[in-house]
Amino acid sequence: MSFAKKNFIKVVNGLKLLLLDGHSLLHRAFYALPLLTTADGRPINAVYGFWNMLWRLLEEERPEGLGVAFDLKGPTFRHEEYGAYKGTRRKTPPELNAQIPLLQDTLAAAGIAVISKPGFEADDCLGSIASLSDKAGHQTLIVSGDRDLLQLVSSRTQLLLTKRGISQTQRYGPEEVRSTFGVAPEQIPDLKGLAGDSSDNIPGVTGIGEKKARDILQVSGSLEEALEHPEKVADIRARKLLVAGEPSARLSKRLATISRDVPLILVWQDLAAPDWHAGEIRLALRRVFRELEFHSLLKRLDGLGGTQISATGGEEVRAHWTEGDGIRTQIRQVSELGELVGRQVALAFSLDGDDLKLAVAEPEGETCWLGRGQDVREITDFVSVATPKIGHDLKPLQRHFLAKGETFTGLVFDTAVAAYLLNPSQGKYSLEAVCGRYLPDHAPVDGELCRKAATIGSLRTALHRALQAADLNRLFEDVEMPLLEVLAEMETHGIRVDTQALAEISDELGRRIDELSQRVYSLAGSQFNINSTRQLGAILFETLSLPPVKKTKTGYSTDADVLEALRERHPIISAILDYRQLVKLKSTYADGLGALVNPETGTLHTTFNQMIAATGRLSSTEP
C-alpha cells in the first residue's frame, strides 16, 4: 500500500495544505477549558475547544487541503524496538478518552479526512504527507503541541506550535527553529538521540543534556558523525559519555525520527477542504453540533457564506431580555438606581478620559440601568453605598471615583482577577478572552454595555464554581479582592519624587558616562558610536581582533552575554559594560522617572499590575 502519488501531486501542486495533530490539540483543548458537559452528562469541552481552534485556523489560513491525524490504540514499531517507549506517560483521563470518537464523528460529518495507520503514530502520518507535499512544491502548515514535529520544518513546511492551551501559538520555519533551539530542523532527531526526551521516555546519553548536545552537534553536524569521530568533541567528559552511550544514542535517534514513508492510500480528493455550501455537510454538521449542544458553532455554521468561514455568530447572552427594541424598552435611568441598594449587581463601564459610561444589571434580572458622565451625582450616590458589586477589571473605575474624592465600596467579585487566580499563566484576561474560556457558548461581548453587564453576571457564577473547585475562594476573597482596592488607592495617591535630587543624579551619571566614553575611545584607538552594534563590532572583532562569540544576520553580536564572555580578553570590555549600565540608569531612571512626575503635585502615578506575573508578584507600568 502506498500514496497515490501521481494523483496527489497532479492536483495539489502549488496549493496550501493544513494538517492537524488530532490527539495533541484535543489534549490541549481539554486542559485549556473547564469541563463542559451536555445535558445528559457527556464531556464535550475538548471537542468544543478543538473546533473553535479549527475554525480560527480556517479563517486565517484559507487552506485548499485539510486533514487530521490520530494515534491508534496498540503498539507501534517504536514500542516493538523499545518496550519502555512512552512508558512514563500519565494515563489519559476517561473524560478525555470519551471525546476522541466524538471529535472524529464531527470531522467525518464535515468531510474532513481522519488519518491514522496501525503500527504508526500520528506524527508519522503527518510526516509522510508533509514530505510528499514538500516534494510536490506546495505549502504545508502542521498544527500541534508536539515539538518532535519541528524536524519536518522546511522551506515549504511550517509548524504552528501551541504554547499555552489552544489560543497561544508560535509559527516555526527553518530560521525560527535554528534561532530558538540552536539546531537545524533535520538535527532535531540527533538532538534527542543525545539528550533524550523525558516526555516520550527516550533515554538519550546519560549525562548529556540539551545544551551539551547542541554543542556536540555544532562541531559534528550529526549524531553519526559525532560517534564516528568523537575526537571532534572538545569536552573530555562529554566525549567519554558519548562513546559509552553509543547504543543508547543510536536507539534514541531511531525512536525520535519521524517516519516519512507510512504506507497510506491517499489522494488529493481525500484531503480537499470542506465545501461549506454543500447541503449534506451542513445537515450532517448541524446534527452533530445540535447533539453536542454547540449552540455558538451552530450559529457560525448558519452564518457561513461561500467557501469562506465567517467570524460572526455566537449564542445570544443568556439574559431575559430580547434583541433590538425589546432591550431598549427595559433600559432605565441611573436616577432610579436607588431601588437596587443592598441587592447584588453586575457593572460594565467604559472610560474615555473623564467621560464615564456605566451599565448596571441584576445578574438574573431583566432590567439594565444605563448612564454616562453627566449623571455623576446619581452614579456617585450609587457606587458610594454598600451594594454588592460584580465587575470585570474594575480598578480603573475605582481610580476614576477616588480621583474625584468619592468612595467606591461594595466590590465583592472582579471576574478578571478571578480568572487570573485560576490560571495565572494565561496572560490574557479581557472580558472576551475570559468569556471564551468559561462561557464558551456566549456571543461576542464587545459593544453594548448592557449586554456586557449581563454577561459579567453569568461569568461570575461560572468563575465562583471554578474557584470553589480549585479551593481558591479564601485566597480570592481575603487577599486578591482587598488588594485590588489597596492598589487603586496607591495608584491614586501616587509616590512623591524629589525631582531636584533626580536631576543631580542625572548630571553626575552624565559626567561618568563621558569619562567612560573617553576611556573606551582611548582603548579602541579611535572615536566611534559606542551605541552602534555595527561600529562596536568592527572595533572589537576587526580592529582589536577579539574572537567573535556569535554572529547575527546583520553582523557581529555585541550583546551582554558576548561581552561577558570576552571580559578577561581586553580592558575595553569592562569599560563598555560599565558605560552601558550607566546609560541605562540615566535614561530609564534618572531621566525617565523625572519625565513622568506630575509637575503640579510632585508625585508619580504608576499602574500596578495585579494580573501579569504567574508567581503572584506585582509589576508596574508607566513606570
Side-chain angles (χ1 to χ4, degrees), residues 411-451:
L411 180 59
V412 295
F413 202 101
D414 189 308
T415 50
V417 174
Y420 160 75
L421 193 57
L422 286 163
N423 195 348
S425 61
Q426 185 71 19
K428 295 181 180 179
Y429 305 102
S430 67
L431 181 57
E432 191 65 50
V434 177
C435 283
R437 183 176 175 83
Y438 293 96
L439 294 178
D441 283 345
H442 273 269
V445 292
D446 289 337
E448 193 176 273
L449 284 179
C450 279
R451 191 170 302 286

mmCIF file of all heavy atoms in Angstrom, residues 411-451:
data_model
loop_
_atom_site.group_PDB
_atom_site.id
_atom_site.type_symbol
_atom_site.label_atom_id
_atom_site.label_comp_id
_atom_site.label_asym_id
_atom_site.label_seq_id
_atom_site.Cartn_x
_atom_site.Cartn_y
_atom_site.Cartn_z
ATOM 1 N N LEU A 411 -17.390 46.263 46.424
ATOM 2 C CA LEU A 411 -16.893 45.401 45.351
ATOM 3 C C LEU A 411 -16.610 44.005 45.915
ATOM 4 O O LEU A 411 -15.733 43.836 46.752
ATOM 5 C CB LEU A 411 -15.628 45.993 44.741
ATOM 6 C CG LEU A 411 -14.993 45.205 43.598
ATOM 7 C CD1 LEU A 411 -15.958 45.040 42.440
ATOM 8 C CD2 LEU A 411 -13.716 45.881 43.127
ATOM 9 N N VAL A 412 -17.360 43.022 45.450
ATOM 10 C CA VAL A 412 -17.229 41.673 46.009
ATOM 11 C C VAL A 412 -16.608 40.680 45.037
ATOM 12 O O VAL A 412 -16.111 39.630 45.456
ATOM 13 C CB VAL A 412 -18.607 41.130 46.466
ATOM 14 C CG1 VAL A 412 -19.152 41.966 47.606
ATOM 15 C CG2 VAL A 412 -19.600 41.075 45.308
ATOM 16 N N PHE A 413 -16.634 40.991 43.726
ATOM 17 C CA PHE A 413 -16.137 39.978 42.779
ATOM 18 C C PHE A 413 -15.679 40.666 41.497
ATOM 19 O O PHE A 413 -16.479 41.287 40.798
ATOM 20 C CB PHE A 413 -17.234 38.964 42.451
ATOM 21 C CG PHE A 413 -16.736 37.636 41.949
ATOM 22 C CD1 PHE A 413 -16.686 36.543 42.796
ATOM 23 C CD2 PHE A 413 -16.310 37.482 40.637
ATOM 24 C CE1 PHE A 413 -16.221 35.311 42.342
ATOM 25 C CE2 PHE A 413 -15.835 36.267 40.170
ATOM 26 C CZ PHE A 413 -15.797 35.178 41.034
ATOM 27 N N ASP A 414 -14.377 40.558 41.223
ATOM 28 C CA ASP A 414 -13.835 41.045 39.958
ATOM 29 C C ASP A 414 -13.522 39.818 39.100
ATOM 30 O O ASP A 414 -12.660 39.010 39.437
ATOM 31 C CB ASP A 414 -12.568 41.876 40.191
ATOM 32 C CG ASP A 414 -12.098 42.589 38.932
ATOM 33 O OD1 ASP A 414 -11.950 41.911 37.888
ATOM 34 O OD2 ASP A 414 -11.891 43.814 38.987
ATOM 35 N N THR A 415 -14.231 39.675 37.983
ATOM 36 C CA THR A 415 -14.098 38.463 37.170
ATOM 37 C C THR A 415 -12.717 38.359 36.512
ATOM 38 O O THR A 415 -12.236 37.255 36.254
ATOM 39 C CB THR A 415 -15.194 38.423 36.092
ATOM 40 O OG1 THR A 415 -15.219 39.669 35.383
ATOM 41 C CG2 THR A 415 -16.561 38.196 36.728
ATOM 42 N N ALA A 416 -12.062 39.493 36.240
ATOM 43 C CA ALA A 416 -10.712 39.436 35.676
ATOM 44 C C ALA A 416 -9.724 38.880 36.694
ATOM 45 O O ALA A 416 -8.875 38.036 36.374
ATOM 46 C CB ALA A 416 -10.275 40.828 35.209
ATOM 47 N N VAL A 417 -9.824 39.341 37.933
ATOM 48 C CA VAL A 417 -8.932 38.862 38.995
ATOM 49 C C VAL A 417 -9.169 37.384 39.259
ATOM 50 O O VAL A 417 -8.225 36.605 39.459
ATOM 51 C CB VAL A 417 -9.122 39.686 40.279
ATOM 52 C CG1 VAL A 417 -8.299 39.108 41.423
ATOM 53 C CG2 VAL A 417 -8.732 41.141 40.040
ATOM 54 N N ALA A 418 -10.429 36.961 39.259
ATOM 55 C CA ALA A 418 -10.746 35.547 39.482
ATOM 56 C C ALA A 418 -10.142 34.682 38.378
ATOM 57 O O ALA A 418 -9.568 33.616 38.638
ATOM 58 C CB ALA A 418 -12.259 35.350 39.544
ATOM 59 N N ALA A 419 -10.270 35.136 37.124
ATOM 60 C CA ALA A 419 -9.716 34.372 36.001
ATOM 61 C C ALA A 419 -8.197 34.283 36.103
ATOM 62 O O ALA A 419 -7.601 33.236 35.809
ATOM 63 C CB ALA A 419 -10.125 35.020 34.684
ATOM 64 N N TYR A 420 -7.553 35.374 36.530
ATOM 65 C CA TYR A 420 -6.095 35.351 36.722
ATOM 66 C C TYR A 420 -5.701 34.341 37.801
ATOM 67 O O TYR A 420 -4.758 33.555 37.630
ATOM 68 C CB TYR A 420 -5.606 36.745 37.107
ATOM 69 C CG TYR A 420 -4.252 36.748 37.789
ATOM 70 C CD1 TYR A 420 -3.090 36.555 37.064
ATOM 71 C CD2 TYR A 420 -4.152 36.912 39.168
ATOM 72 C CE1 TYR A 420 -1.848 36.545 37.685
ATOM 73 C CE2 TYR A 420 -2.921 36.903 39.794
ATOM 74 C CZ TYR A 420 -1.767 36.714 39.048
ATOM 75 O OH TYR A 420 -0.548 36.686 39.675
ATOM 76 N N LEU A 421 -6.414 34.351 38.908
ATOM 77 C CA LEU A 421 -6.075 33.459 40.010
ATOM 78 C C LEU A 421 -6.227 31.994 39.594
ATOM 79 O O LEU A 421 -5.438 31.137 39.990
ATOM 80 C CB LEU A 421 -6.968 33.765 41.217
ATOM 81 C CG LEU A 421 -6.559 33.150 42.557
ATOM 82 C CD1 LEU A 421 -5.152 33.570 42.941
ATOM 83 C CD2 LEU A 421 -7.544 33.558 43.639
ATOM 84 N N LEU A 422 -7.221 31.706 38.777
ATOM 85 C CA LEU A 422 -7.445 30.337 38.318
ATOM 86 C C LEU A 422 -6.398 29.884 37.311
ATOM 87 O O LEU A 422 -6.067 28.703 37.243
ATOM 88 C CB LEU A 422 -8.847 30.222 37.691
ATOM 89 C CG LEU A 422 -10.016 30.237 38.681
ATOM 90 C CD1 LEU A 422 -11.318 30.536 37.963
ATOM 91 C CD2 LEU A 422 -10.098 28.900 39.416
ATOM 92 N N ASN A 423 -5.885 30.818 36.533
ATOM 93 C CA ASN A 423 -4.899 30.464 35.516
ATOM 94 C C ASN A 423 -3.900 31.600 35.356
ATOM 95 O O ASN A 423 -3.961 32.378 34.401
ATOM 96 C CB ASN A 423 -5.599 30.186 34.179
ATOM 97 C CG ASN A 423 -4.686 29.478 33.197
ATOM 98 O OD1 ASN A 423 -3.480 29.388 33.408
ATOM 99 N ND2 ASN A 423 -5.250 28.979 32.121
ATOM 100 N N PRO A 424 -2.959 31.752 36.302
ATOM 101 C CA PRO A 424 -2.072 32.921 36.301
ATOM 102 C C PRO A 424 -1.093 32.977 35.142
ATOM 103 O O PRO A 424 -0.474 34.014 34.931
ATOM 104 C CB PRO A 424 -1.328 32.799 37.639
ATOM 105 C CG PRO A 424 -1.433 31.361 38.007
ATOM 106 C CD PRO A 424 -2.736 30.879 37.471
ATOM 107 N N SER A 425 -0.940 31.910 34.380
ATOM 108 C CA SER A 425 -0.022 31.937 33.239
ATOM 109 C C SER A 425 -0.736 32.219 31.924
ATOM 110 O O SER A 425 -0.110 32.261 30.873
ATOM 111 C CB SER A 425 0.718 30.595 33.131
ATOM 112 O OG SER A 425 -0.201 29.541 32.921
ATOM 113 N N GLN A 426 -2.046 32.398 31.972
ATOM 114 C CA GLN A 426 -2.813 32.605 30.745
ATOM 115 C C GLN A 426 -2.394 33.886 30.030
ATOM 116 O O GLN A 426 -2.259 33.937 28.821
ATOM 117 C CB GLN A 426 -4.312 32.668 31.063
ATOM 118 C CG GLN A 426 -5.231 32.769 29.847
ATOM 119 C CD GLN A 426 -5.291 31.484 29.058
ATOM 120 O OE1 GLN A 426 -4.946 30.427 29.569
ATOM 121 N NE2 GLN A 426 -5.709 31.563 27.816
ATOM 122 N N GLY A 427 -2.223 34.977 30.790
ATOM 123 C CA GLY A 427 -1.715 36.214 30.210
ATOM 124 C C GLY A 427 -2.754 37.144 29.634
ATOM 125 O O GLY A 427 -2.525 38.334 29.502
ATOM 126 N N LYS A 428 -3.942 36.637 29.265
ATOM 127 C CA LYS A 428 -4.978 37.477 28.672
ATOM 128 C C LYS A 428 -6.248 37.367 29.501
ATOM 129 O O LYS A 428 -6.796 36.277 29.665
ATOM 130 C CB LYS A 428 -5.259 37.053 27.225
ATOM 131 C CG LYS A 428 -4.083 37.270 26.283
ATOM 132 C CD LYS A 428 -4.433 36.866 24.866
ATOM 133 C CE LYS A 428 -3.257 37.095 23.923
ATOM 134 N NZ LYS A 428 -3.570 36.692 22.534
ATOM 135 N N TYR A 429 -6.692 38.515 30.022
ATOM 136 C CA TYR A 429 -7.867 38.496 30.897
ATOM 137 C C TYR A 429 -8.895 39.549 30.473
ATOM 138 O O TYR A 429 -9.612 40.088 31.297
ATOM 139 C CB TYR A 429 -7.431 38.711 32.358
ATOM 140 C CG TYR A 429 -6.394 37.701 32.779
ATOM 141 C CD1 TYR A 429 -5.049 38.052 32.847
ATOM 142 C CD2 TYR A 429 -6.744 36.387 33.044
ATOM 143 C CE1 TYR A 429 -4.085 37.122 33.192
ATOM 144 C CE2 TYR A 429 -5.792 35.453 33.394
ATOM 145 C CZ TYR A 429 -4.459 35.820 33.465
ATOM 146 O OH TYR A 429 -3.511 34.885 33.801
ATOM 147 N N SER A 430 -8.960 39.844 29.173
ATOM 148 C CA SER A 430 -10.032 40.700 28.685
ATOM 149 C C SER A 430 -11.350 39.976 28.887
ATOM 150 O O SER A 430 -11.390 38.740 29.040
ATOM 151 C CB SER A 430 -9.839 41.023 27.205
ATOM 152 O OG SER A 430 -10.008 39.837 26.429
ATOM 153 N N LEU A 431 -12.451 40.721 28.897
ATOM 154 C CA LEU A 431 -13.754 40.093 29.090
ATOM 155 C C LEU A 431 -14.022 39.066 28.001
ATOM 156 O O LEU A 431 -14.525 37.968 28.282
ATOM 157 C CB LEU A 431 -14.848 41.168 29.103
ATOM 158 C CG LEU A 431 -16.285 40.663 29.334
ATOM 159 C CD1 LEU A 431 -16.394 39.886 30.636
ATOM 160 C CD2 LEU A 431 -17.266 41.839 29.329
ATOM 161 N N GLU A 432 -13.655 39.383 26.763
ATOM 162 C CA GLU A 432 -13.878 38.453 25.664
ATOM 163 C C GLU A 432 -13.081 37.170 25.868
ATOM 164 O O GLU A 432 -13.579 36.062 25.658
ATOM 165 C CB GLU A 432 -13.496 39.110 24.343
ATOM 166 C CG GLU A 432 -13.931 38.338 23.112
ATOM 167 C CD GLU A 432 -15.436 38.246 22.977
ATOM 168 O OE1 GLU A 432 -16.128 39.268 23.060
ATOM 169 O OE2 GLU A 432 -15.924 37.109 22.810
ATOM 170 N N ALA A 433 -11.807 37.312 26.301
ATOM 171 C CA ALA A 433 -10.958 36.138 26.493
ATOM 172 C C ALA A 433 -11.463 35.259 27.633
ATOM 173 O O ALA A 433 -11.489 34.028 27.522
ATOM 174 C CB ALA A 433 -9.517 36.576 26.765
ATOM 175 N N VAL A 434 -11.871 35.868 28.738
ATOM 176 C CA VAL A 434 -12.352 35.094 29.883
ATOM 177 C C VAL A 434 -13.690 34.418 29.555
ATOM 178 O O VAL A 434 -13.924 33.270 29.935
ATOM 179 C CB VAL A 434 -12.477 35.986 31.137
ATOM 180 C CG1 VAL A 434 -13.035 35.193 32.307
ATOM 181 C CG2 VAL A 434 -11.112 36.566 31.501
ATOM 182 N N CYS A 435 -14.561 35.120 28.841
ATOM 183 C CA CYS A 435 -15.832 34.501 28.422
ATOM 184 C C CYS A 435 -15.567 33.314 27.501
ATOM 185 O O CYS A 435 -16.235 32.286 27.594
ATOM 186 C CB CYS A 435 -16.716 35.522 27.711
ATOM 187 S SG CYS A 435 -17.533 36.672 28.826
ATOM 188 N N GLY A 436 -14.584 33.465 26.603
ATOM 189 C CA GLY A 436 -14.268 32.364 25.706
ATOM 190 C C GLY A 436 -13.819 31.123 26.444
ATOM 191 O O GLY A 436 -14.011 30.008 25.976
ATOM 192 N N ARG A 437 -13.256 31.334 27.640
ATOM 193 C CA ARG A 437 -12.769 30.189 28.419
ATOM 194 C C ARG A 437 -13.844 29.597 29.327
ATOM 195 O O ARG A 437 -13.967 28.371 29.454
ATOM 196 C CB ARG A 437 -11.566 30.643 29.257
ATOM 197 C CG ARG A 437 -10.906 29.541 30.069
ATOM 198 C CD ARG A 437 -9.671 30.070 30.782
ATOM 199 N NE ARG A 437 -9.092 29.077 31.650
ATOM 200 C CZ ARG A 437 -8.262 28.116 31.266
ATOM 201 N NH1 ARG A 437 -7.912 28.038 30.012
ATOM 202 N NH2 ARG A 437 -7.759 27.241 32.124
ATOM 203 N N TYR A 438 -14.636 30.449 29.943
ATOM 204 C CA TYR A 438 -15.582 29.963 30.952
ATOM 205 C C TYR A 438 -17.050 30.025 30.521
ATOM 206 O O TYR A 438 -17.895 29.379 31.140
ATOM 207 C CB TYR A 438 -15.402 30.757 32.253
ATOM 208 C CG TYR A 438 -14.079 30.479 32.908
ATOM 209 C CD1 TYR A 438 -12.986 31.315 32.707
ATOM 210 C CD2 TYR A 438 -13.901 29.345 33.699
ATOM 211 C CE1 TYR A 438 -11.757 31.042 33.283
ATOM 212 C CE2 TYR A 438 -12.675 29.065 34.277
ATOM 213 C CZ TYR A 438 -11.607 29.918 34.064
ATOM 214 O OH TYR A 438 -10.392 29.635 34.632
ATOM 215 N N LEU A 439 -17.361 30.792 29.467
ATOM 216 C CA LEU A 439 -18.717 30.826 28.915
ATOM 217 C C LEU A 439 -18.607 30.671 27.403
ATOM 218 O O LEU A 439 -18.961 31.583 26.646
ATOM 219 C CB LEU A 439 -19.420 32.150 29.252
ATOM 220 C CG LEU A 439 -19.738 32.448 30.715
ATOM 221 C CD1 LEU A 439 -20.386 33.823 30.818
ATOM 222 C CD2 LEU A 439 -20.659 31.396 31.312
ATOM 223 N N PRO A 440 -18.117 29.543 26.933
ATOM 224 C CA PRO A 440 -17.791 29.418 25.505
ATOM 225 C C PRO A 440 -18.981 29.546 24.568
ATOM 226 O O PRO A 440 -18.795 29.806 23.391
ATOM 227 C CB PRO A 440 -17.170 28.012 25.417
ATOM 228 C CG PRO A 440 -17.660 27.289 26.621
ATOM 229 C CD PRO A 440 -17.803 28.322 27.693
ATOM 230 N N ASP A 441 -20.206 29.370 25.055
ATOM 231 C CA ASP A 441 -21.357 29.472 24.168
ATOM 232 C C ASP A 441 -21.936 30.873 24.094
ATOM 233 O O ASP A 441 -22.949 31.101 23.439
ATOM 234 C CB ASP A 441 -22.461 28.492 24.606
ATOM 235 C CG ASP A 441 -22.128 27.069 24.184
ATOM 236 O OD1 ASP A 441 -21.228 26.919 23.350
ATOM 237 O OD2 ASP A 441 -22.767 26.126 24.673
ATOM 238 N N HIS A 442 -21.321 31.823 24.768
ATOM 239 C CA HIS A 442 -21.826 33.185 24.724
ATOM 240 C C HIS A 442 -21.390 33.890 23.466
ATOM 241 O O HIS A 442 -20.347 33.610 22.895
ATOM 242 C CB HIS A 442 -21.364 33.974 25.951
ATOM 243 C CG HIS A 442 -22.289 33.818 27.117
ATOM 244 N ND1 HIS A 442 -23.326 34.655 27.347
ATOM 245 C CD2 HIS A 442 -22.348 32.882 28.083
ATOM 246 C CE1 HIS A 442 -23.974 34.264 28.441
ATOM 247 N NE2 HIS A 442 -23.395 33.181 28.890
ATOM 248 N N ALA A 443 -22.213 34.849 23.068
ATOM 249 C CA ALA A 443 -21.896 35.662 21.903
ATOM 250 C C ALA A 443 -20.739 36.596 22.225
ATOM 251 O O ALA A 443 -20.427 36.835 23.383
ATOM 252 C CB ALA A 443 -23.123 36.483 21.504
ATOM 253 N N PRO A 444 -20.065 37.160 21.190
ATOM 254 C CA PRO A 444 -19.069 38.205 21.445
ATOM 255 C C PRO A 444 -19.675 39.335 22.273
ATOM 256 O O PRO A 444 -20.819 39.730 22.063
ATOM 257 C CB PRO A 444 -18.705 38.686 20.032
ATOM 258 C CG PRO A 444 -18.998 37.508 19.158
ATOM 259 C CD PRO A 444 -20.194 36.838 19.764
ATOM 260 N N VAL A 445 -18.927 39.869 23.241
ATOM 261 C CA VAL A 445 -19.485 40.844 24.189
ATOM 262 C C VAL A 445 -18.984 42.254 23.928
ATOM 263 O O VAL A 445 -19.234 43.151 24.719
ATOM 264 C CB VAL A 445 -19.164 40.443 25.644
ATOM 265 C CG1 VAL A 445 -19.911 39.202 26.022
ATOM 266 C CG2 VAL A 445 -17.665 40.251 25.832
ATOM 267 N N ASP A 446 -18.242 42.466 22.830
ATOM 268 C CA ASP A 446 -17.800 43.819 22.523
ATOM 269 C C ASP A 446 -19.010 44.684 22.180
ATOM 270 O O ASP A 446 -19.957 44.229 21.552
ATOM 271 C CB ASP A 446 -16.826 43.824 21.337
ATOM 272 C CG ASP A 446 -15.483 43.215 21.715
ATOM 273 O OD1 ASP A 446 -15.184 43.210 22.915
ATOM 274 O OD2 ASP A 446 -14.781 42.744 20.821
ATOM 275 N N GLY A 447 -18.947 45.951 22.573
ATOM 276 C CA GLY A 447 -20.016 46.864 22.169
ATOM 277 C C GLY A 447 -20.942 47.210 23.306
ATOM 278 O O GLY A 447 -20.561 47.856 24.271
ATOM 279 N N GLU A 448 -22.171 46.767 23.203
ATOM 280 C CA GLU A 448 -23.243 47.210 24.089
ATOM 281 C C GLU A 448 -22.970 46.937 25.555
ATOM 282 O O GLU A 448 -22.735 45.800 25.969
ATOM 283 C CB GLU A 448 -24.530 46.513 23.663
ATOM 284 C CG GLU A 448 -25.759 47.095 24.287
ATOM 285 C CD GLU A 448 -26.953 46.385 23.718
ATOM 286 O OE1 GLU A 448 -27.466 46.765 22.678
ATOM 287 O OE2 GLU A 448 -27.402 45.423 24.376
ATOM 288 N N LEU A 449 -22.992 47.996 26.376
ATOM 289 C CA LEU A 449 -22.646 47.865 27.792
ATOM 290 C C LEU A 449 -23.653 47.024 28.546
ATOM 291 O O LEU A 449 -23.285 46.285 29.469
ATOM 292 C CB LEU A 449 -22.527 49.256 28.427
ATOM 293 C CG LEU A 449 -21.255 50.039 28.109
ATOM 294 C CD1 LEU A 449 -21.298 51.397 28.795
ATOM 295 C CD2 LEU A 449 -20.013 49.285 28.538
ATOM 296 N N CYS A 450 -24.928 47.130 28.225
ATOM 297 C CA CYS A 450 -25.921 46.321 28.937
ATOM 298 C C CYS A 450 -25.675 44.834 28.717
ATOM 299 O O CYS A 450 -25.813 44.024 29.636
ATOM 300 C CB CYS A 450 -27.334 46.704 28.474
ATOM 301 S SG CYS A 450 -27.966 48.197 29.285
ATOM 302 N N ARG A 451 -25.304 44.485 27.505
ATOM 303 C CA ARG A 451 -25.009 43.069 27.236
ATOM 304 C C ARG A 451 -23.769 42.628 28.013
ATOM 305 O O ARG A 451 -23.700 41.516 28.529
ATOM 306 C CB ARG A 451 -24.805 42.872 25.734
ATOM 307 C CG ARG A 451 -24.750 41.386 25.336
ATOM 308 C CD ARG A 451 -24.781 41.217 23.842
ATOM 309 N NE ARG A 451 -25.957 41.801 23.213
ATOM 310 C CZ ARG A 451 -27.166 41.255 23.280
ATOM 311 N NH1 ARG A 451 -27.353 40.154 23.964
ATOM 312 N NH2 ARG A 451 -28.175 41.828 22.677
#
